[in-house]
Amino acid sequence: MKLYPLFAHLSRRAVLVVGGGTVAERKVAALLAAQAQVTVNAYTLTPQLQRWVDEGRIAHRGDPFQDGWLDRVWLVVAATSDRETNRLVATLAELRRIFVNVVDDAELSSFHVPAVIDRAPLTVAISSGGDAPMLARLLRERLETLLDHSLGPLAALAARLRKRIRIRHPEPAARRRFYETLFTGPVAALLRQGQPQAARQAAEKALASATAEPGGSVVLVGAGPGDPGLLTLRALRALNEADVILHDRLVSAEVLELARRDAERIEVGKQAGNHHTTQDGIHALLLEHARAGRRVVRLKGGDPFVFGRGGEELEFLRDHGIPYEVVPGITAAVACAAYAGVPLTHRDHAQSVRFVTAHCRASYDTLDWAALAQERQTLAVYMGVGELGTLQERLLGHGRAASTPFALVENGSRADQRVVTGTLAELAERGAAHAVRSPALLILGEVAALASSLAWFGQPPLRDAPQRAVRPAPPRPVVAVPAAQDGLLAAIHRA
Ligand code: SAH
């Protein structure tokens, strides 16, 4: 190890910063956060440094640097743009055995300032020993996304209870188990949910109870449309902490790859038609794993509350007393619109947008077609690829213009995204000609015309019929069939 890491108590200790530019300002900000008594030595100051001087938060010396000042300080930072001045300050500090940091000069520095992730009282500091500061910064950014801001209050709560935990659990192994539960269980969840009072009460209760058994919980997480870059930071953290992940078929492999390596992954894909039995099965699995004390992530495509039955799952968890959290995801309509260059609303074209689903003919009868056919609005239709003909017929029947543009987005946001465009009059025909398959989202409305000029992701939109001829329909059998089998054959043909 090239450097010896340490964290310094600077509260009410004098620190000298030589230099008054933006770099010095950054250093002063960090020193002020640690409550150091800062004196800045510079002829001119940045406006922010000047404000701190005016507010009495730092002292200012505008006269030339004098080495006698060093006798009063614990640390020195040399942050001028002049290397010689920096060197002089460093040499004089060295002579007095005062630690000095020279900005961007590892050689002249006797201490380095690490890249920091601040979750006070928790601090993560990263150093590359001056060799690769950009790498340290990059690492900091990565870790920053992984560490929830509730970690600070969690550490503070643990500090407050520390003595009592030690008395309650004198045996180290039991104490470790208690802390593990405190940091990963319901207390941590309550802090994430912005309920510090309830978190304190839960911690007190855990401290009073005889055992330190972890309580299971469920996080309902939206995985977005497929591109892992569209996951939220919260979703990523939940995936990192999961013991078990129950995921839909729609969740992309790239997203699943981001989950904790040793988390158990269970696919609970639902096929159209057997929703009810499988939904019960999902409920049973949620219950089984949560009751076994595991942290369960229920991972759903898009957003869990948009055509995702997330509501039903939460009702079930509530009825069974299992604690839960919800992490929203980017829903298919929002993602497909963005990745196809179709703004869902636009001042010139559409003032509203409707998220609609209609996955079977029966559900079509419950929709308000007159409202859906109105102009200057956008329809985002989920699970509609199988019924494009019905959709087209109903909308035209209720007066939507045949020339209304559409964009049909297949595998939105994924590497194999395809966008088929056209007008309402040719919707079913175009969908069939390009053999559009699920998952696909239909965006219908004036805004869809913008796809041709605003598209930016993947292949450009497919406007014309495909080049290759579509596979011809198999010839009808010429054999005569008894009347009773006629219906059966017709059914086979339809299938
Ligand atoms: N909860 C999900 C929707 C589930 S319903 C969400 O918020 O997105 C499933 C339907 O969503 C699919 O039939 C399709 O219409 C749409 N869908 C989901 N992911 C998609 C994707 N990557 N591209 C296009 N459509 C998608």
mmCIF file of all heavy atoms in Angstrom, residues 225 250 301-303 306-308 331-332 336 381-384 409-412 414 438-441, ligand 1:
data_model
loop_
_atom_site.group_PDB
_atom_site.id
_atom_site.type_symbol
_atom_site.label_atom_id
_atom_site.label_comp_id
_atom_site.label_asym_id
_atom_site.label_seq_id
_atom_site.Cartn_x
_atom_site.Cartn_y
_atom_site.Cartn_z
ATOM 1 N N PRO A 225 -38.276 -1.295 -19.943
ATOM 2 C CA PRO A 225 -38.637 -2.002 -21.168
ATOM 3 C C PRO A 225 -37.573 -2.965 -21.676
ATOM 4 O O PRO A 225 -37.829 -3.716 -22.607
ATOM 5 C CB PRO A 225 -38.814 -0.863 -22.157
ATOM 6 C CG PRO A 225 -37.849 0.166 -21.687
ATOM 7 C CD PRO A 225 -37.834 0.081 -20.198
ATOM 8 N N LEU A 250 -40.954 -11.049 -19.568
ATOM 9 C CA LEU A 250 -40.658 -9.824 -20.310
ATOM 10 C C LEU A 250 -39.363 -9.134 -19.860
ATOM 11 O O LEU A 250 -38.802 -8.324 -20.587
ATOM 12 C CB LEU A 250 -41.836 -8.859 -20.101
ATOM 13 C CG LEU A 250 -42.242 -7.912 -21.218
ATOM 14 C CD1 LEU A 250 -42.497 -8.672 -22.502
ATOM 15 C CD2 LEU A 250 -43.495 -7.146 -20.806
ATOM 16 N N GLY A 301 -41.726 -6.255 -15.991
ATOM 17 C CA GLY A 301 -41.379 -5.417 -17.139
ATOM 18 C C GLY A 301 -42.033 -4.048 -17.003
ATOM 19 O O GLY A 301 -43.111 -3.921 -16.428
ATOM 20 N N GLY A 302 -41.350 -3.023 -17.499
ATOM 21 C CA GLY A 302 -41.928 -1.674 -17.483
ATOM 22 C C GLY A 302 -42.155 -1.177 -16.077
ATOM 23 O O GLY A 302 -41.275 -1.257 -15.226
ATOM 24 N N ASP A 303 -43.360 -0.683 -15.822
ATOM 25 C CA ASP A 303 -43.735 -0.223 -14.486
ATOM 26 C C ASP A 303 -44.709 -1.235 -13.877
ATOM 27 O O ASP A 303 -45.611 -1.706 -14.571
ATOM 28 C CB ASP A 303 -44.414 1.152 -14.592
ATOM 29 C CG ASP A 303 -44.817 1.660 -13.222
ATOM 30 O OD1 ASP A 303 -43.965 2.262 -12.553
ATOM 31 O OD2 ASP A 303 -45.966 1.404 -12.799
ATOM 32 N N VAL A 306 -48.510 -0.348 -14.220
ATOM 33 C CA VAL A 306 -49.150 -0.106 -15.515
ATOM 34 C C VAL A 306 -49.367 -1.465 -16.184
ATOM 35 O O VAL A 306 -48.417 -2.106 -16.623
ATOM 36 C CB VAL A 306 -48.290 0.809 -16.420
ATOM 37 C CG1 VAL A 306 -48.971 1.005 -17.766
ATOM 38 C CG2 VAL A 306 -48.054 2.153 -15.742
ATOM 39 N N PHE A 307 -50.605 -1.920 -16.216
ATOM 40 C CA PHE A 307 -50.983 -3.208 -16.784
ATOM 41 C C PHE A 307 -50.047 -4.312 -16.296
ATOM 42 O O PHE A 307 -49.640 -5.179 -17.072
ATOM 43 C CB PHE A 307 -51.006 -3.148 -18.316
ATOM 44 C CG PHE A 307 -51.829 -2.016 -18.845
ATOM 45 C CD1 PHE A 307 -51.316 -1.123 -19.767
ATOM 46 C CD2 PHE A 307 -53.129 -1.828 -18.385
ATOM 47 C CE1 PHE A 307 -52.084 -0.069 -20.237
ATOM 48 C CE2 PHE A 307 -53.905 -0.772 -18.851
ATOM 49 C CZ PHE A 307 -53.373 0.107 -19.776
ATOM 50 N N GLY A 308 -49.694 -4.254 -15.022
ATOM 51 C CA GLY A 308 -48.725 -5.221 -14.522
ATOM 52 C C GLY A 308 -49.248 -6.031 -13.346
ATOM 53 O O GLY A 308 -48.517 -6.824 -12.771
ATOM 54 N N THR A 331 -42.321 2.767 -18.085
ATOM 55 C CA THR A 331 -43.326 1.947 -18.749
ATOM 56 C C THR A 331 -43.110 1.936 -20.263
ATOM 57 O O THR A 331 -42.510 2.852 -20.823
ATOM 58 C CB THR A 331 -44.736 2.447 -18.373
ATOM 59 O OG1 THR A 331 -45.686 1.515 -18.873
ATOM 60 C CG2 THR A 331 -45.037 3.820 -18.953
ATOM 61 N N ALA A 332 -43.608 0.861 -20.903
ATOM 62 C CA ALA A 332 -43.348 0.657 -22.336
ATOM 63 C C ALA A 332 -43.744 1.865 -23.176
ATOM 64 O O ALA A 332 -43.023 2.249 -24.100
ATOM 65 C CB ALA A 332 -44.081 -0.590 -22.819
ATOM 66 N N CYS A 336 -40.938 3.325 -25.415
ATOM 67 C CA CYS A 336 -41.059 3.113 -26.866
ATOM 68 C C CYS A 336 -41.186 4.457 -27.581
ATOM 69 O O CYS A 336 -40.614 4.660 -28.651
ATOM 70 C CB CYS A 336 -42.268 2.237 -27.190
ATOM 71 S SG CYS A 336 -42.033 0.541 -26.653
ATOM 72 N N VAL A 381 -51.195 1.771 -27.010
ATOM 73 C CA VAL A 381 -51.946 0.525 -26.811
ATOM 74 C C VAL A 381 -51.003 -0.614 -26.451
ATOM 75 O O VAL A 381 -50.100 -0.963 -27.217
ATOM 76 C CB VAL A 381 -52.760 0.159 -28.075
ATOM 77 C CG1 VAL A 381 -53.617 -1.072 -27.811
ATOM 78 C CG2 VAL A 381 -53.625 1.331 -28.508
ATOM 79 N N TYR A 382 -51.217 -1.174 -25.260
ATOM 80 C CA TYR A 382 -50.430 -2.301 -24.774
ATOM 81 C C TYR A 382 -51.125 -3.601 -25.175
ATOM 82 O O TYR A 382 -52.352 -3.675 -25.209
ATOM 83 C CB TYR A 382 -50.347 -2.276 -23.239
ATOM 84 C CG TYR A 382 -49.492 -1.172 -22.655
ATOM 85 C CD1 TYR A 382 -49.907 0.149 -22.700
ATOM 86 C CD2 TYR A 382 -48.290 -1.468 -22.024
ATOM 87 C CE1 TYR A 382 -49.128 1.156 -22.140
ATOM 88 C CE2 TYR A 382 -47.511 -0.479 -21.456
ATOM 89 C CZ TYR A 382 -47.929 0.837 -21.517
ATOM 90 O OH TYR A 382 -47.168 1.823 -20.964
ATOM 91 N N MET A 383 -50.318 -4.620 -25.413
ATOM 92 C CA MET A 383 -50.821 -5.976 -25.693
ATOM 93 C C MET A 383 -51.807 -5.971 -26.849
ATOM 94 O O MET A 383 -52.772 -6.741 -26.840
ATOM 95 C CB MET A 383 -51.496 -6.569 -24.442
ATOM 96 C CG MET A 383 -50.519 -6.779 -23.301
ATOM 97 S SD MET A 383 -51.268 -7.500 -21.845
ATOM 98 C CE MET A 383 -51.691 -6.060 -20.887
ATOM 99 N N GLY A 384 -51.571 -5.131 -27.844
ATOM 100 C CA GLY A 384 -52.555 -4.993 -28.920
ATOM 101 C C GLY A 384 -52.173 -5.679 -30.215
ATOM 102 O O GLY A 384 -52.999 -5.725 -31.142
ATOM 103 N N VAL A 409 -44.111 -0.199 -32.250
ATOM 104 C CA VAL A 409 -42.728 -0.388 -31.794
ATOM 105 C C VAL A 409 -42.578 -1.784 -31.202
ATOM 106 O O VAL A 409 -43.198 -2.115 -30.188
ATOM 107 C CB VAL A 409 -42.353 0.665 -30.728
ATOM 108 C CG1 VAL A 409 -40.869 0.553 -30.367
ATOM 109 C CG2 VAL A 409 -42.684 2.068 -31.219
ATOM 110 N N GLU A 410 -41.776 -2.594 -31.850
ATOM 111 C CA GLU A 410 -41.542 -3.969 -31.392
ATOM 112 C C GLU A 410 -40.207 -4.007 -30.646
ATOM 113 O O GLU A 410 -39.231 -3.426 -31.115
ATOM 114 C CB GLU A 410 -41.497 -4.888 -32.614
ATOM 115 C CG GLU A 410 -41.294 -6.352 -32.317
ATOM 116 C CD GLU A 410 -41.038 -7.137 -33.597
ATOM 117 O OE1 GLU A 410 -39.949 -6.950 -34.190
ATOM 118 O OE2 GLU A 410 -41.910 -7.905 -34.012
ATOM 119 N N ASN A 411 -40.154 -4.699 -29.515
ATOM 120 C CA ASN A 411 -38.922 -4.802 -28.708
ATOM 121 C C ASN A 411 -38.311 -3.428 -28.428
ATOM 122 O O ASN A 411 -37.104 -3.218 -28.586
ATOM 123 C CB ASN A 411 -37.880 -5.685 -29.406
ATOM 124 C CG ASN A 411 -38.317 -7.119 -29.443
ATOM 125 O OD1 ASN A 411 -38.817 -7.638 -28.441
ATOM 126 N ND2 ASN A 411 -38.190 -7.755 -30.584
ATOM 127 N N GLY A 412 -39.153 -2.505 -28.031
ATOM 128 C CA GLY A 412 -38.703 -1.131 -27.791
ATOM 129 C C GLY A 412 -37.526 -1.054 -26.834
ATOM 130 O O GLY A 412 -37.487 -1.771 -25.833
ATOM 131 N N ARG A 414 -34.662 -2.193 -27.067
ATOM 132 C CA ARG A 414 -33.712 -3.317 -27.113
ATOM 133 C C ARG A 414 -32.933 -3.265 -28.425
ATOM 134 O O ARG A 414 -33.324 -2.576 -29.362
ATOM 135 C CB ARG A 414 -34.456 -4.647 -27.016
ATOM 136 C CG ARG A 414 -35.270 -4.711 -25.744
ATOM 137 C CD ARG A 414 -36.061 -5.991 -25.643
ATOM 138 N NE ARG A 414 -36.937 -5.896 -24.480
ATOM 139 C CZ ARG A 414 -37.257 -6.914 -23.708
ATOM 140 N NH1 ARG A 414 -36.801 -8.102 -23.959
ATOM 141 N NH2 ARG A 414 -38.054 -6.745 -22.679
ATOM 142 N N SER A 438 -45.164 -9.774 -30.319
ATOM 143 C CA SER A 438 -45.120 -9.278 -28.946
ATOM 144 C C SER A 438 -43.687 -9.434 -28.412
ATOM 145 O O SER A 438 -43.012 -10.398 -28.794
ATOM 146 C CB SER A 438 -46.081 -10.105 -28.110
ATOM 147 O OG SER A 438 -46.084 -9.657 -26.797
ATOM 148 N N PRO A 439 -43.153 -8.531 -27.586
ATOM 149 C CA PRO A 439 -43.826 -7.343 -27.090
ATOM 150 C C PRO A 439 -43.749 -6.185 -28.095
ATOM 151 O O PRO A 439 -42.687 -5.883 -28.606
ATOM 152 C CB PRO A 439 -43.032 -6.994 -25.826
ATOM 153 C CG PRO A 439 -41.641 -7.458 -26.110
ATOM 154 C CD PRO A 439 -41.799 -8.664 -27.010
ATOM 155 N N ALA A 440 -44.899 -5.622 -28.358
ATOM 156 C CA ALA A 440 -44.934 -4.457 -29.241
ATOM 157 C C ALA A 440 -45.970 -3.489 -28.711
ATOM 158 O O ALA A 440 -46.978 -3.889 -28.130
ATOM 159 C CB ALA A 440 -45.285 -4.885 -30.656
ATOM 160 N N LEU A 441 -45.698 -2.226 -28.931
ATOM 161 C CA LEU A 441 -46.578 -1.190 -28.425
ATOM 162 C C LEU A 441 -47.026 -0.330 -29.599
ATOM 163 O O LEU A 441 -46.210 0.055 -30.440
ATOM 164 C CB LEU A 441 -45.833 -0.328 -27.410
ATOM 165 C CG LEU A 441 -46.748 0.708 -26.788
ATOM 166 C CD1 LEU A 441 -47.056 0.310 -25.357
ATOM 167 C CD2 LEU A 441 -46.152 2.082 -26.849
HETATM 168 N N1 SAH B 1 -46.003 -3.268 -16.973
HETATM 169 C C1 SAH B 1 -45.565 -3.183 -18.347
HETATM 170 C C2 SAH B 1 -46.631 -3.618 -19.314
HETATM 171 C C3 SAH B 1 -47.014 -5.055 -19.212
HETATM 172 S S1 SAH B 1 -48.189 -5.520 -20.419
HETATM 173 C C4 SAH B 1 -45.116 -1.757 -18.648
HETATM 174 O O1 SAH B 1 -45.322 -0.866 -17.834
HETATM 175 O O2 SAH B 1 -44.519 -1.552 -19.698
HETATM 176 C C5 SAH B 1 -47.145 -6.151 -21.684
HETATM 177 C C6 SAH B 1 -47.180 -5.240 -22.893
HETATM 178 O O3 SAH B 1 -46.319 -4.123 -22.693
HETATM 179 C C7 SAH B 1 -46.684 -5.868 -24.159
HETATM 180 O O4 SAH B 1 -47.690 -6.648 -24.777
HETATM 181 C C8 SAH B 1 -46.330 -4.648 -24.981
HETATM 182 O O5 SAH B 1 -47.494 -4.048 -25.514
HETATM 183 C C9 SAH B 1 -45.790 -3.720 -23.921
HETATM 184 N N2 SAH B 1 -44.324 -3.799 -23.841
HETATM 185 C C10 SAH B 1 -43.587 -4.134 -22.782
HETATM 186 N N3 SAH B 1 -42.273 -4.052 -23.053
HETATM 187 C C11 SAH B 1 -42.174 -3.644 -24.322
HETATM 188 C C12 SAH B 1 -41.088 -3.362 -25.196
HETATM 189 N N4 SAH B 1 -39.832 -3.492 -24.811
HETATM 190 N N5 SAH B 1 -41.377 -2.955 -26.458
HETATM 191 C C13 SAH B 1 -42.642 -2.814 -26.868
HETATM 192 N N6 SAH B 1 -43.697 -3.059 -26.089
HETATM 193 C C14 SAH B 1 -43.479 -3.474 -24.840
#
